[in-house]
Amino acid sequence: MNRPKTRFAFKDLISRFQISAPHQSILKNLLIVTPVSLMSRGGTLLIYAVLANWFGVNPEMDFLYYYWGIAVFLVQILSSASAYSILIPLVAEERTKSQAHSNACLRAIFSVYLVGMPSICCVLFTICYIVSSLFLPRPDIPDIITIGIVCGFAVFTISASIRWLLKGVLDAYQRFSLPAIVQALAVPAVIGLTYALKPSIGLSSIVFALIISELLQTTTLFIVCRFSLKIKGLFSLVHAQRHWRAYSKTKRFVKQFFLMMGTAISAGANPVVDRGMSSSLSAGAVSKLDYSFRLCTIPETVAGVIMPVLLSHWSAISADANIQFLRQSVWKGVLVIVGVMGPIIYGFYFFRIAIVDLLYGHGAMSEPERFHVASLLGIYLIGTLPRLISRLLIRAHLSLQNVTFVFSATLLRTAFNPILNLIFMKRWGLEGIALSTTLLSFPSMVYIGIAFLIVSRRRMNSMKIDEG
């Protein structure tokens, strides 16, 4: 008599452990993308290791890393942390209507972006150069090389910004692997060109190699978008005004773009401020901070490869108005980050000295300098897990197009960072700057998590009212 109930109970138990179709799609994409993305990210780390061994720690490398950091910062505010993050939810929303709506969205966004982005880039780079020249020590290199390095990083910024928007198109169509493959293939080009040109043009070889790499990646992604996805008119500025008027949400994109620019400025300003404040401590301080921070991003890279996949899938779920499933997916993602990345970060912290010696101990960097880098790395690693959770939760906010909150969260962190830097620098020097970054990671994570609970709950309640 009780056998059928037991059978049904057993079936119910099994069904709880089965993966739903959306989760199967997410898992499939993660299994495909993660190895390729790790290869490309590992190649980027290899570039830094090669440069550390070839060029060492000196004022000239301080100068180059400072403007390289500014270039990365500008790419973030102009594309990777702004337009890219807005593009994917918008395209997901338009694709639920039709392919024609999606194409109109992309043409309008590219028209707006390509008209304004290069000018904004040049203005921001000029401002950064003028401001930084007031406090950054000048290296003992000719003025023409100095100007060439600065202008070269401006070209690098424009090309990388366009590449990120093309990557956003492919990610929105869930073609995740190709951008990672192209980036991985660009690593040998950077190292090879730097090695070949180093004897003749010295420090400038790094900038030249980075520009060539970015141009190759941008060209490849554009060809794929144009012929594989059959999206026409991405780079056509002849009918730009007509594209803006045809797409009804152009103003919405522009508004969100400037909000996300402010967000990226707030988030990206922290490393730039850290480098600027550390330059007042001692020669080589910027390089040490940069080398340690790059190593700290290894665990973040391992987890960061899943962020584009999650943003794309969560945007599609949000566009279908399935907020309850979105909440479940987000919190499962948090548990996976804690369970997988916690042991990895602990192991990285335990072996940090050996890792620094392995990567930086075969060239111009001395043993005391490597020990100092390992000390800074240990401080950064303490705040890595909350930073990873915050990054995941921010993608959840972006999938709900909650751009205003993301801006406010990063703005608060940016306001407190230089204050803590000043306090801790007086007592602990360069380690105080790393400690400031670590301590701010914990309250930021809590604030972003609570806000997601509130916003998603409100969205669910409003949908229930509309259905009623």
Side-chain angles (χ1 to χ4, degrees), residues 79 83-84 87 91 102-118 161-170 173 218 221-222 225-226 229 231-237 239-241 243-244 247 250 253:
S79 187
Y84 171 88
L87 178 69
V91 174
S102 176
N103 289 342
C105 166
L106 290 172
R107 284 194 296 269
I109 288 175
F110 267 82
S111 299
V112 173
Y113 190 76
L114 294 176
V115 168
M117 183 273 296
S161 298
I162 296 173
R163 174 176 65 85
W164 266 99
L165 207 62
L166 293 170
K167 181 182 183 300
V169 175
L170 292 169
Y173 281 80
T218 302
L221 296 185
F222 169 71
C225 289
R226 172 64 181 84
L229 299 181
I231 301 173
K232 299 180 180 179
L234 290 181
F235 283 6
S236 176
L237 301 180
H239 305 292
Q241 191 174 9
H243 294 325
W244 302 345
Y247 183 57
T250 303
F253 168 78

Side-chain angles (χ1 to χ4, degrees), residues 5 10 24 29 40 108 112 223 246 307 340 346 387 413 455:
K5 294 182 180 180
F10 179 74
Q24 286 178 342
N29 282 320
S40 63
V112 173
I223 292 173
M307 299 300 177
V340 174
Y346 175 78
R387 281 198 302 272
R413 178 173 180 141
V455 171

Side-chain angles (χ1 to χ4, degrees), residues 332-355:
K332 285 180 181 178
V334 172
L335 292 177
V336 170
I337 287 289
V338 173
V340 174
M341 295 307 302
I344 293 176
I345 294 170
Y346 175 78
F348 203 83
Y349 180 88
F350 185 78
F351 293 105
R352 63 189 185 279
I353 297 177
I355 292 171

Side-chain angles (χ1 to χ4, degrees), residues 136-150:
L136 186 67
R138 291 291 299 272
D140 187 19
I141 56 178
D143 291 340
I144 188 170
I145 296 179
T146 300
I147 296 173
I149 290 174
V150 175

Side-chain angles (χ1 to χ4, degrees), residues 204-418:
S204 301
S205 62
I206 302 173
V207 184
F208 185 82
L210 290 171
I211 293 173
I212 297 299
S213 168
E214 283 298 334
L215 290 175
L216 289 174
Q217 293 179 73
T218 302
T219 302
T220 303
L221 296 185
F222 169 71
I223 292 173
V224 173
C225 289
R226 172 64 181 84
F227 295 103
S228 179
L229 299 181
K230 298 180 181 179
I231 301 173
K232 299 180 180 179
L234 290 181
F235 283 6
S236 176
L237 301 180
V238 178
H239 305 292
Q241 191 174 9
R242 188 176 69 185
H243 294 325
W244 302 345
R245 293 177 178 176
Y247 183 57
S248 60
K249 297 178 181 177
T250 303
K251 291 183 178 179
R252 173 178 160 190
F253 168 78
V254 173
K255 179 182 177 181
Q256 291 184 344
F257 173 68
F258 281 107
L259 274 175
M260 286 303 295
M261 274 188 65
T263 301
I265 289 172
S266 299
N270 288 333
V272 175
V273 169
D274 289 350
R275 290 184 182 95
M277 298 180 76
S278 65
S279 65
S280 64
L281 293 174
S282 62
V286 177
S287 300
K288 291 176 184 177
L289 206 64
D290 208 77
Y291 286 135
S292 61
F293 189 76
R294 295 298 173 182
L295 286 178
C296 179
T297 59
I298 293 177
E300 296 186 23
T301 296
V302 175
V305 297
I306 71 173
M307 299 300 177
V309 178
L310 293 180
L311 177 58
S312 179
H313 282 279
W314 288 348
S315 297
I317 295 170
S318 179
D320 291 334
N322 194 348
I323 306 301
Q324 180 63 35
F325 183 76
L326 175 64
R327 284 164 60 100
Q328 294 174 0
S329 182
V330 170
W331 296 122
K332 285 180 181 178
V334 172
L335 292 177
V336 170
I337 287 289
V338 173
V340 174
M341 295 307 302
I344 293 176
I345 294 170
Y346 175 78
F348 203 83
Y349 180 88
F350 185 78
F351 293 105
R352 63 189 185 279
I353 297 177
I355 292 171
V356 170
D357 288 339
L358 176 65
L359 293 175
Y360 298 152
H362 306 284
M365 191 180 295
S366 65
E367 183 176 355
E369 290 170 341
R370 296 198 302 272
F371 185 80
H372 198 180
V373 169
S375 175
L376 295 170
L377 174 61
I379 298 173
Y380 276 129
L381 286 171
I382 295 173
T384 299
L385 188 59
R387 281 198 302 272
L388 291 177
I389 296 174
S390 297
R391 288 178 61 189
L392 185 141
L393 292 173
I394 283 175
R395 267 63 181 182
H397 280 282
L398 291 174
S399 68
L400 295 172
Q401 300 189 34
N402 190 16
V403 178
T404 305
F405 167 78
V406 177
F407 171 70
S408 66
T410 53
L411 188 63
L412 286 173
R413 178 173 180 141
T414 303
F416 284 105
N417 183 57

